[in-house]
Amino acid sequence: MLAHSLHLQNFRNHSDTSVSGLAPKINVFVGQNGAGKTSILEALSLATLTKSFTTHSDSVLIKKEEQSLSVDARFQTDLGVPHNVKIEITLGPPIRKSIFANSERIRSAADLVGIAPVVILTPDEKVITGGGPSERRRFLNMVLSQASRAYLEDELEYRRALKQRNAILSRQQGRSLSYIQPLIAPWTELVRKHGARIMRRRASFTEEFRPRLLAWYSKLSQSREEPSLQYLPMGLESVATDYEALLASEASKCETDEIRRGTTLFGPHRDELLLFVNPTQEARLYASQGQHKTLLVAMKLAEFEYLRDAASETPILLLDDVFSELDDDRAHQLLDLAASEELGQTFITSTERSRFEKKLDFSSGDHAFFEVSSGTVAPILRGA
Amino acid sequence: MLYTSPALETLIERLSRLPTIGRKTAQRLALYLLKQPREDVVALAEAIGTLQQRVHTCSICANITEEDPCPICRDPRRDHSVICVVEEPNDVLVIERTNEFKGLYHVLGGSLSPLEGVGPEELKVRELLDRLRQDGPGTDGRERPEVREIILAMDPNVEGEATTLYLAKLLSPLVDRVSRIARGIPIGSDLEYADEATLARALEGRTAV
Ligand SMILES: [Zn+2]
């Protein structure tokens, strides 16, 4: 997938910004903090994932004192088919968001997510290797939702059913089991049905992802760590493959606890994906700072490769302010990779200009250089 | 912006309370009405004014009707042994348009949604159970033929799915067959939006639950 042009209106501090002449390989956006560089990547995230990667709130994306924003993004698939996305968000209440893909209105996120796959790396993503289980579940969802429409649909229906089930448990908290059971029964069945499908896909993803992670890590690092992953359904060291049965047995075990605590205690929202830096060393506990960084970059490159194969479309890579976090060696390595044929189109934001000027040949037409300042974007002349 | 006429402002405020109508649309509608011939506006006001007076819900199937019981429930040519359960009166219209279904309906008035405080008590579930009572006359005093089959035609979303599961379990012991319309309808879309051909296929392809 290639992005050709972007048009932002009343998006963050951009009143009316057109970015055209995007290059097929690396696009660098330089500018000071607060200039509006990240907004360019956020707009791409909105046009591909239906949401920003920095916030859950759509309203904060609208420029101060404006009522609505719009983003127009023009893409082209690997096969050369145009793919145009338009998004409008209008302040409410209620806040309204409409998305059009090739002029047709999108009814569900599942109709858009995955068409233009994206891989996002920002300093905030380091919680994937260092944070709690929910961060790795978010990672799983991010990859699998883009790789499989069916997964995203299951995930959306699962979350809804879980919320409904929790509403009964929390409102009827302390009532008798026999009173609550017929009320929650249909929701339990839905949580089980969608939950089992989510778990099956997470388990097989882990198997497919492991060798890719190892390969990328070895490529990035001279040292001999052997990173790995292990999927623990609901945190259990289980070898079961019948997730429907596993969910049913967990569900019956925690019934009384659920009524006491007023919330659902079984299901993939309690999954864990363990990440190891070496076969017996969990990254969260044992990895050094340097190993965390290499591991994160390797995860993202493996994600890129996995998505490219699963979605049959080259993902777009968004690197937001990551070069300040990496030491020179890792930074150069990543930049070389982005410039090579191994990766596709890449968007980079940075406050420093010289690294890219020294390293990339902007006269070839493969790369483009833009300067961002107070909500405006201007191309920096190639080869100048 | 506030208008100088309180009457106009009142109308705009009332209109903007309607679903899908924002303040801007309300303003446009109000100013449009202001310019229309007086008799047109009076006719509209009358139609709105008599709406709740004339239109009721059927005491048997809970569909909207001007006569009680509704023409469908009273029609002797229809198959009174089959009841199709739907969420909203609109769904009856959609299914009627397919000309595929000759039984009766039951309008639940929504689907289960604990988040919005909607449990079985808030839907017309008790009324449905009453209709399935095999012995004795109906509320209209007449003997009614036994109901043998229930078709569940909820919206294809999580709430519709839960309602289907709930009703299937509740009703299975009471009738010969409980089926659901096949999910040939795209996820996330309401029954209202399904085209007639899809729905006709869905009615044919119904499966036992
Ligand atoms: Zn009726």
Side-chain angles (χ1 to χ4, degrees):
Chain A
M1 188 66 67
L2 286 182
H4 278 306
S5 66
L6 272 172
H7 186 200
L8 282 61
Q9 276 182 303
N10 298 331
F11 191 103
R12 298 263 195 202
N13 66 344
H14 294 268
S15 307
D16 192 354
T17 295
S18 281
V19 189
S20 54
L22 291 170
K25 293 301 295 177
I26 299 177
N27 295 279
V28 184
F29 293 83
V30 290
Q32 295 181 340
N33 287 325
K37 307 182 296 290
T38 300
S39 314
I40 304 289
L41 307 201
E42 276 188 293
L44 279 167
S45 170
L46 206 59
T48 52
L49 301 171
T50 75
K51 55 187 183 192
S52 160
F53 56 86
T54 67
T55 172
H56 289 296
S57 156
D58 285 332
S59 58
V60 304
L61 300 175
I62 300 174
K63 190 170 194 275
K64 277 207 185 77
E65 290 172 22
E66 294 294 339
Q67 288 302 304
S68 63
L69 71 76
S70 79
V71 170
D72 229 313
R74 290 171 186 271
F75 300 92
Q76 186 183 320
T77 69
D78 289 0
L79 294 174
V81 182
H83 170 64
N84 300 325
V85 179
K86 189 176 171 70
I87 291 158
E88 287 164 348
I89 299 174
T90 307
L91 277 185
I95 187 160
R96 282 185 217 193
K97 182 173 183 175
S98 25
I99 306 179
F100 299 86
N102 303 317
S103 307
E104 216 171 294
R105 198 188 177 125
I106 298 286
R107 283 192 184 285
S108 151
D111 291 334
L112 189 71
V113 174
I115 293 180
V118 283
V119 173
I120 299 169
L121 181 56
T122 76
D124 293 339
E125 295 280 288
K126 56 182 168 227
V127 290
I128 293 177
T129 68
S134 65
E135 307 295 347
R136 284 175 295 284
R137 285 196 295 271
R138 197 174 52 80
F139 170 78
L140 284 168
N141 285 343
M142 180 73 152
V143 187
L144 285 168
S145 309
Q146 295 191 78
S148 154
R149 185 198 166 106
Y151 180 90
L152 178 54
E153 283 171 351
D154 274 321
E155 179 64 30
L156 294 173
E157 299 200 6
Y158 175 80
R159 267 186 235 170
R160 185 77 189 162
L162 188 67
K163 244 189 184 171
Q164 294 279 22
R165 192 174 186 275
N166 284 341
I168 297 176
L169 286 170
S170 70
R171 282 172 207 186
Q172 313 287 356
Q173 206 170 352
R175 288 255 206 171
S176 72
L177 187 59
S178 60
Y179 177 85
I180 293 182
Q181 219 165 25
L183 292 177
I184 58 169
W187 304 104
T188 307
E189 197 171 328
L190 289 177
V191 164
R192 247 181 12 224
K193 181 178 102 180
H194 297 294
R197 291 194 208 149
I198 289 168
M199 292 164 101
R200 242 190 322 271
R201 287 205 190 82
R202 286 180 177 179
S204 58
F205 166 80
T206 307
E207 298 308 308
E208 290 167 48
F209 198 72
R210 191 181 294 122
R212 297 178 194 265
L213 174 65
L214 183 61
W216 276 111
Y217 192 96
S218 316
K219 205 165 179 174
L220 293 173
S221 166
Q222 298 344 304
S223 51
R224 271 172 291 173
E225 286 92 36
E226 236 184 89
S228 183
L229 312 121
Q230 190 189 0
Y231 172 62
L232 303 183
M234 297 180 270
L236 304 169
E237 296 237 18
S238 160
V239 288
T241 50
D242 185 349
Y243 292 106
E244 191 100 41
L246 185 67
L247 281 163
S249 84
E250 281 303 299
S252 63
K253 263 187 237 165
C254 56
E255 235 165 23
T256 36
D257 249 10
E258 284 188 329
I259 289 169
R260 195 170 46 80
R261 293 174 52 183
T263 189
T264 301
L265 298 173
F266 71 97
H269 67 289
R270 298 173 72 89
D271 279 356
E272 168 64 295
L273 178 73
L274 295 181
L275 188 57
F276 297 90
V277 63
N278 273 310
T280 56
Q281 295 177 306
E282 215 190 307
R284 199 164 51 92
L285 306 172
Y286 296 103
S288 68
Q289 256 198 345
Q291 288 169 338
H292 270 296
K293 284 178 182 173
T294 308
L295 199 52
L296 181 59
V297 175
M299 289 279 278
K300 289 289 153 180
L301 293 169
E303 180 184 348
F304 174 91
E305 195 185 66
Y306 178 88
L307 273 180
R308 184 192 59 202
D309 296 350
S312 304
E313 186 71 38
T314 311
I316 293 172
L317 187 59
L318 306 182
L319 304 177
D320 187 28
D321 196 24
V322 294
F323 288 91
S324 56
E325 295 268 317
L326 298 174
D327 53 71
D328 276 354
D329 284 350
R330 286 194 182 83
H332 280 159
Q333 216 176 4
L334 187 55
L335 208 50
D336 282 340
L337 268 169
S340 78
E341 286 306 308
E342 287 198 72
L343 300 182
Q345 191 180 33
T346 300
F347 288 80
I348 294 172
T349 65
S350 181
T351 48
E352 46 154 9
R353 195 165 158 164
S354 56
R355 180 196 302 281
F356 306 99
E357 281 176 328
K358 270 184 238 152
K359 192 87 182 135
L360 299 172
D361 175 11
F362 287 98
S363 64
S364 67
D366 282 350
H367 315 304
F369 211 175
F370 300 88
E371 180 147 33
V372 186
S373 62
S374 45
T376 61
V377 177
I380 299 172
L381 289 181
R382 287 167 186 163
Chain B
M1 166 175 53
L2 284 171
Y3 286 88
T4 42
S5 154
L8 186 59
E9 187 51 45
T10 306
L11 178 62
I12 292 171
E13 201 270 322
R14 290 271 166 193
L15 285 171
S16 63
R17 287 193 217 167
L18 298 174
T20 76
I21 296 192
R23 198 173 157 83
K24 264 191 189 155
T25 312
Q27 281 168 359
R28 218 177 303 139
L29 288 173
L31 291 171
Y32 171 83
L33 289 171
L34 197 58
K35 283 186 238 152
Q36 295 312 296
R38 190 174 161 73
E39 58 271 26
D40 284 3
V41 180
V42 169
L44 175 65
E46 251 175 36
I48 294 173
T50 53
L51 180 71
Q52 296 201 325
Q53 227 175 302
R54 306 251 309 256
V55 181
H56 310 279
T57 55
C58 171
S59 58
I60 298 174
C61 70
N63 194 10
I64 12 183
T65 177
E66 291 199 8
E67 316 146 56
D68 189 21
C70 74
I72 294 178
C73 286
R74 278 186 298 138
D75 189 345
R77 288 162 307 173
R78 297 193 74 115
D79 183 351
H80 286 235
S81 73
V82 189
I83 294 176
C84 179
V85 184
V86 296
E87 291 184 12
E88 301 292 346
N90 236 328
D91 299 331
V92 173
L93 290 181
V94 176
I95 295 177
E96 280 298 282
R97 254 186 262 133
T98 67
N99 274 323
E100 283 291 321
F101 181 67
K102 294 289 165 236
L104 304 182
Y105 293 95
H106 191 84
V107 181
L108 279 182
S111 55
L112 292 175
S113 182
L115 281 168
E116 291 150 291
V118 182
E121 299 285 312
E122 280 69 38
L123 302 173
K124 305 267 184 211
V125 173
R126 198 186 301 267
E127 289 80 350
L128 178 59
L129 288 172
D130 280 346
R131 289 179 76 178
L132 300 184
R133 264 196 220 121
Q134 288 168 16
D135 47 350
T139 42
D140 54 354
R142 277 181 296 185
E143 279 301 321
R144 277 181 298 172
E146 193 181 321
V147 176
R148 296 181 175 279
E149 182 178 357
I150 296 281
I151 300 168
L152 302 171
M154 306 300 128
D155 286 353
N157 53 34
V158 178
E159 289 73 23
E161 195 66 21
T163 310
T164 300
L165 294 170
Y166 177 82
L167 290 177
K169 197 167 185 183
L170 189 70
L171 305 176
S172 293
L174 306 175
V175 290
D176 294 346
R177 181 175 146 93
V178 178
S179 61
R180 57 182 301 170
I181 59 167
R183 263 179 85 135
I185 303 163
I187 289 171
S189 70
D190 288 350
L191 205 51
E192 269 183 67
Y193 295 115
D195 65 78
E196 287 160 36
T198 323
L199 202 58
R201 271 201 306 281
L203 280 162
E204 274 167 39
R206 60 188 192 252
T207 47
V209 239

